Amino acid sequence: MNPADIAAQLRCPSGSDARETAERMNAANGETNRRVISQLGITDNNRVLEIGPANAAFAPEIIGAADQVSYCGLDHSADMVQQARERYRDWDHELRFEQGSSDAIPWPDAYFDRVLAVHTLYFWKQPLDHLREIHRVMKPGARFALAFGDISFMRELPFTLYGFTLYDQQATTTLLKEAGFEVLQAVSHKETGQSNTGENVEKQINILLCTLVNE
């Protein structure tokens, strides 16, 4: 695929390329996802929302982080939701997958204990709408982890010219505070691995762990 097609698939995997795109994302983003799951501090009986999970490859690690964890995945791609439902059709854990956008989350107020969003920030046209909606569905004392590639390396990737909005840690922290979050921890680390074009790159990844203000 050319860079524009790659960008379109990363935003919303669909059609004949959807499954391959999902597997490529899982391979490229595995280290970041595992760091986020660890930093969230999932505890027994938590309800966890993952925004943009694709085919939810990391749901077992989230469920396995503690006892009686329930998992909800919200993805923009109907194809990804279908794949996730098929993937976990025979599981006896509480998993739910819905198609939709994180600026209109289909769950009630103060419902989740933990929320994670990995490599989704770039695609939010109005990021404050998404962050405020995430804020709405979080319980008092809940935690939210937002992970994204830093602009310093993302701008070198050819597909980010097509529909990506790129951020650094400072700009994202400002957005989070405006949406009513307190940043508890800001971690930046480097990863060396494949990009979504299959090339080996050194990635600069930011993970911001947040809670609701005054909680």
Side-chain angles (χ1 to χ4, degrees):
M1 289 185 287
N2 62 43
D5 289 338
I6 291 172
Q9 283 293 321
L10 293 175
R11 175 186 294 274
C12 185
S14 59
S16 60
D17 294 317
R19 191 173 299 275
E20 180 183 350
T21 297
E23 295 309 318
R24 191 166 57 242
M25 289 192 297
N26 294 339
N29 303 333
E31 181 176 345
T32 300
N33 277 272
R34 293 183 177 99
R35 284 177 180 262
V36 166
I37 293 165
S38 176
Q39 291 179 27
L40 269 175
I42 297 168
T43 59
D44 293 353
N45 301 302
N46 276 178
R47 288 175 177 160
V48 181
L49 171 64
E50 184 174 11
I51 293 168
N55 60 11
F58 303 98
E61 296 178 43
I62 291 170
I63 291 170
D67 292 332
Q68 301 299 314
V69 174
S70 61
Y71 173 95
C72 297
L74 178 67
D75 203 276
H76 190 57
S77 166
D79 286 351
M80 290 295 95
V81 172
Q82 180 180 352
Q83 286 187 30
R85 288 173 176 167
E86 291 173 355
R87 185 174 197 151
Y88 299 106
R89 180 173 46 214
D90 298 326
W91 279 52
D92 57 2
H93 292 80
E94 185 179 347
L95 298 101
R96 178 179 167 188
F97 303 101
E98 297 293 340
Q99 190 273 331
S101 174
S102 52
D103 60 359
I105 298 173
W107 281 279
D109 294 355
Y111 190 78
F112 291 103
D113 303 282
R114 300 289 186 269
V115 181
L116 65 155
V118 178
H119 294 306
T120 60
L121 174 62
Y122 331 109
F123 306 120
W124 296 346
K125 291 183 179 180
Q126 300 293 333
L128 280 174
D129 291 346
H130 294 259
L131 292 172
R132 287 171 176 148
E133 185 69 349
I134 291 166
H135 187 291
R136 178 188 67 79
V137 299
M138 289 172 57
K139 294 178 182 179
R143 297 290 182 266
F144 167 44
L146 180 64
F148 59 98
D150 195 84
I151 188 174
S152 61
F153 106 86
M154 291 287 289
R155 64 189 172 196
E156 303 299 323
L157 300 174
F159 53 81
T160 61
L161 294 172
Y162 302 93
F164 282 66
T165 301
L166 304 181
Y167 296 88
D168 60 17
Q169 194 174 106
Q170 182 177 356
T172 308
T173 298
T174 299
L175 281 172
L176 286 162
K177 289 180 177 178
E178 188 173 350
F181 290 98
E182 175 187 356
V183 178
L184 300 173
Q185 183 181 54
V187 176
S188 183
H189 71 276
K190 292 185 183 294
E191 300 177 8
T192 300
Q194 285 192 345
S195 78
N196 286 287
T197 58
E199 302 164 324
N200 282 327
V201 296
E202 185 175 68
K203 309 173 187 180
Q204 184 74 35
I205 305 294
N206 299 307
I207 302 175
L208 303 183
L209 181 65
C210 315
T211 191
L212 309 183
V213 169
N214 297 324
E215 298 295 350

